[in-house]
Amino acid sequence: MPVFILCCARPIALLFACFCALPAHAGVTGESHATLPLSLTEALQRAESRHPLIQSWRARLAAADARTLQAGMRPPPELNLEVEDVLGSGAWSGTDSAQTTLGFSQLIERGDLRDRRVEAAHAGHRHSAIQAEIALLELRAEVARRFVHVLSDQLQLGITLEATALARDTHREVVRRVD
């Protein structure tokens, strides 16, 4: 399962980065509003706090913590109550011939079973923590890569707009001189 999640992290990060770049107060009508520039730090914080993959890893780590806690517990005692021969027929009718058995049992662990359980739970937690860190680093790398790409596109747009304005000014001046 973790392999599938890590393989899907990049497309999910792409979609998430696109949604994070949208202004939070943009209307449903598609109107664009002037927004404050989004810094890389803010983009990373948004991605880490809202990305479903990271949220799922947080839940998995909480579950691993709970498994570690549970592994250190003693097995619970059991209390059993059995009632037999109730509501029979003929001579066995009623509750006069009922038999009741009350049982109590407690598993006694021998050797280092609990310690081994706790060690296995700790190993599982460490594995989950490492996988979560890998997913987080991949998400951060993807967000940073896309952020730099957007900055590059914005600068290219600025250069193109400036070149277009210069071309229009040149065209106007040429038309004026020709006239």
Side-chain angles (χ1 to χ4, degrees):
M1 182 77 176
V3 173
F4 172 73
I5 290 173
L6 292 177
C7 292
C8 294
R10 287 202 171 108
I12 292 172
L14 166 67
L15 290 173
F16 189 73
C18 291
F19 287 122
C20 281
L22 293 174
H25 63 277
V28 179
T29 61
E31 300 173 15
S32 65
H33 296 100
T35 60
L36 296 175
L38 180 67
S39 70
L40 178 59
T41 304
E42 289 176 44
L44 290 172
Q45 287 173 351
R46 284 185 188 182
E48 290 173 20
S49 66
R50 298 179 186 172
H51 197 281
L53 178 65
I54 302 304
Q55 291 176 352
S56 73
W57 276 111
R58 286 185 186 127
R60 288 178 191 193
L61 288 174
D65 286 337
R67 281 191 294 275
T68 303
L69 180 65
Q70 184 181 13
M73 301 283 186
R74 289 183 178 168
E78 293 182 15
L79 183 64
N80 299 323
L81 177 66
E82 293 182 27
V83 180
E84 298 177 0
D85 298 332
V86 177
L87 304 176
S89 60
W92 303 103
S93 66
T95 58
D96 293 338
S97 60
Q99 298 178 18
T100 305
T101 305
L102 180 65
F104 176 80
S105 63
Q106 172 70 50
L107 179 64
I108 299 173
E109 294 179 310
R110 296 177 58 200
D112 298 335
L113 292 178
R114 187 178 318 150
D115 293 337
R116 289 186 207 148
R117 255 193 340 262
V118 170
E119 286 174 14
H122 278 299
H125 185 272
R126 283 191 303 269
H127 180 265
S128 293
I130 289 169
Q131 293 297 328
E133 186 67 23
I134 289 170
L136 181 62
L137 291 174
E138 284 185 348
L139 175 69
R140 286 179 179 169
E142 188 66 19
V143 168
R145 188 181 73 74
R146 298 217 176 264
F147 187 84
V148 169
H149 184 73
V150 167
L151 286 178
S152 170
D153 287 349
Q154 286 175 344
L155 289 175
Q156 187 63 39
L157 177 64
I159 291 169
T160 303
L161 291 174
E162 194 174 312
T164 303
L166 281 171
R168 284 187 183 134
D169 290 344
T170 304
H171 180 262
R172 266 188 253 127
E173 186 62 28
V174 168
V175 168
R176 187 184 66 82
R177 286 188 181 183
V178 167
D179 289 343

